[in-house]
Amino acid sequence: METFNRTVTEFILLGFSLGHQGEILLALVFLAMYITSLAGNMLIFCLVLGNSQLHTPMYFFLGNFSILDIMFTSVISPQLLWNLLSGDKSIPFSSCITQLYFYFLLGTVEFFLLTSMSYDRYAAVCKPLHYHTLMSGEVCVRMVLACWLGGFLSVLCPIIQISRLSFCRSNSINHFFCDTGPLLELSCTNTRFIELMDFMLSSLVIVGSAVLTLISYACIISTILRIPTTSSRMKAFNTCATHLTLISISCGISIFTYVTPSQKETLDAHKVPAVLTTIVCPFLNPFLFTLKNDSVKEALRKTVQKTYDTIMENILATSKGHKFVLGKNL
């Protein structure tokens, strides 16, 4: 391992120790998942945007979540695929810090958005008579903007502090992307303050989101249990269960990875959870949590039918036009 007496200008992402053939195979799997993730999430966004029956607060948040998934996985996947396919593991210092910033920005916004979605479900189930007032279009837009502003402000200071560190021990990062723990491990500067700040912010964002969501769902479950009919109770549970499952997975993985006093002590255990959050979850989310929804499936069916009818009309119109021109020539 190369040692430096100055600040590095690029890092080497060690990634996965699988050999060249193993990395090529892994890259093909990740590429298929990445393309499917882009297609699935973009399909959801277009369905929400183009179908008036999905212009409700719940689907507004799901559409935003789909765009967030696309951006989140795109921060990591292209660089990872290039490293695996080309064998070139280097990444410039500026690109590394940029990747680090957007990874935590989008991850933080995702937690805030999931918390907003739990409030939306709380308002829908527990305050149905006031739902349209509590969750008007203006309120939904403000909530999404607040999620982005909160994410921007919460990650800005730690990233600035990390970018100012001196990395003089090595330029080899024991990860497949630029994460805080591996970067702090390489610094020859005292990083205790940054580690403490990361721990406090991670705890506030992740644990805070989990607690607020649990409070919302405690109220929701209490209300659902008082619904007299079994079918209505099951419908309410099914609507909320997918969101609760999603935030449980996200919080569980993130708490294990980031809510620790020192991330440098558990570096080897971070790669598998990171694959789950950056590649697997954005790949699965459209199919497990949105496309199985009855309203989304109905909107998809109508969109496919409308597209098919439009194509057939254009083909018939073109065919009639050719016949008219041919008859005129004869």
Side-chain angles (χ1 to χ4, degrees):
M1 187 177 290
E2 190 176 356
T3 303
F4 291 81
N5 293 319
R6 57 180 176 81
T7 301
V8 299
T9 57
E10 69 173 17
F11 293 105
I12 304 298
L13 298 169
L14 298 180
F16 308 94
S17 302
L18 301 174
H20 184 63
Q21 291 184 342
E23 289 185 345
I24 294 293
L25 179 61
L26 189 64
L28 294 177
V29 174
F30 285 165
L31 178 61
M33 296 176 72
Y34 178 56
I35 293 174
T36 306
S37 175
L38 295 181
N41 283 293
M42 185 55 68
L43 174 62
I44 291 170
F45 177 74
C46 291
L47 286 175
V48 171
L49 194 64
N51 289 269
S52 58
Q53 69 187 75
L54 299 182
H55 291 175
T56 64
M58 183 177 78
Y59 294 107
F60 172 77
F61 287 122
L62 286 174
N64 277 274
F65 192 79
S66 295
I67 292 298
L68 198 59
D69 263 349
I70 290 174
M71 297 171 68
F72 187 64
T73 191
S74 295
V75 168
I76 305 299
S77 295
Q79 180 70 45
L80 172 61
L81 292 171
W82 169 256
N83 292 343
L84 291 174
L85 291 171
S86 68
D88 179 10
K89 304 296 181 70
S90 64
I91 180 172
F93 177 83
S94 58
S95 299
C96 184
I97 297 299
T98 302
Q99 185 184 64
L100 179 71
Y101 172 74
F102 281 104
Y103 171 76
F104 282 102
L105 169 65
L106 297 171
T108 303
V109 174
E110 184 172 297
F111 276 108
F112 290 153
L113 187 60
L114 287 171
T115 306
S116 301
M117 291 166 68
S118 70
Y119 176 75
D120 169 64
R121 292 299 84 209
Y122 163 79
V125 175
C126 301
K127 306 287 184 180
L129 298 179
H130 304 284
Y131 178 65
H132 293 291
T133 302
L134 293 172
M135 299 302 298
S136 64
E138 183 180 354
V139 170
C140 291
V141 171
R142 287 182 177 180
M143 290 175 71
V144 171
L145 291 177
C147 291
W148 281 96
L149 180 61
F152 171 77
L153 294 177
S154 62
V155 304
L156 184 62
C157 184
I159 300 302
I160 291 175
Q161 293 297 322
I162 292 173
S163 68
R164 293 177 175 177
L165 293 175
S166 295
F167 300 96
C168 53
R169 291 178 180 171
S170 168
N171 71 331
S172 298
I173 297 177
N174 185 23
H175 214 320
F176 61 86
F177 72 98
C178 293
D179 200 358
T180 51
L183 277 172
L184 295 178
E185 177 70 16
L186 302 182
S187 177
C188 53
T189 311
N190 190 327
T191 60
R192 288 182 181 178
F193 173 73
I194 297 177
E195 290 181 65
L196 179 61
M197 182 167 50
D198 281 349
F199 172 68
M200 293 177 64
L201 287 173
S202 298
S203 300
L204 180 64
V205 171
I206 300 170
V207 178
S209 296
V211 169
L212 290 175
T213 300
L214 288 176
I215 292 173
S216 297
Y217 275 97
C219 297
I220 289 170
I221 292 171
S222 176
T223 302
I224 290 175
L225 292 175
R226 294 198 297 268
I227 297 176
T229 59
T230 304
S231 59
S232 297
R233 283 200 301 268
M234 290 303 297
K235 182 179 180 180
F237 269 123
N238 289 336
T239 302
C240 298
T242 53
H243 174 253
L244 188 58
T245 303
L246 178 60
I247 197 167
S248 297
I249 294 172
S250 299
C251 285
I253 294 174
S254 298
I255 287 173
F256 169 77
T257 307
Y258 296 109
V259 186
T260 56
S262 178
Q263 297 176 28
K264 296 189 292 186
E265 298 174 1
T266 57
L267 294 181
D268 292 332
H270 284 187
K271 292 180 184 180
V272 173
V275 169
L276 293 177
T277 56
T278 58
I279 298 174
V280 178
C281 284
F283 164 72
L284 293 177
N285 286 344
F287 306 101
L288 295 181
F289 304 118
T290 306
L291 289 177
K292 75 171 188 176
N293 182 283
D294 290 336
S295 298
V296 175
K297 287 192 290 188
E298 179 64 19
L300 179 60
R301 186 192 66 78
K302 289 182 178 180
T303 301
V304 171
Q305 184 64 47
K306 184 178 179 179
T307 304
Y308 174 78
D309 292 342
T310 302
I311 292 173
M312 293 306 297
E313 288 176 4
N314 290 335
I315 292 175
L316 290 174
T318 303
S319 177
K320 288 180 181 179
H322 285 315
K323 287 181 179 179
F324 175 76
V325 172
L326 181 61
K328 195 174 182 180
N329 291 335
L330 292 175

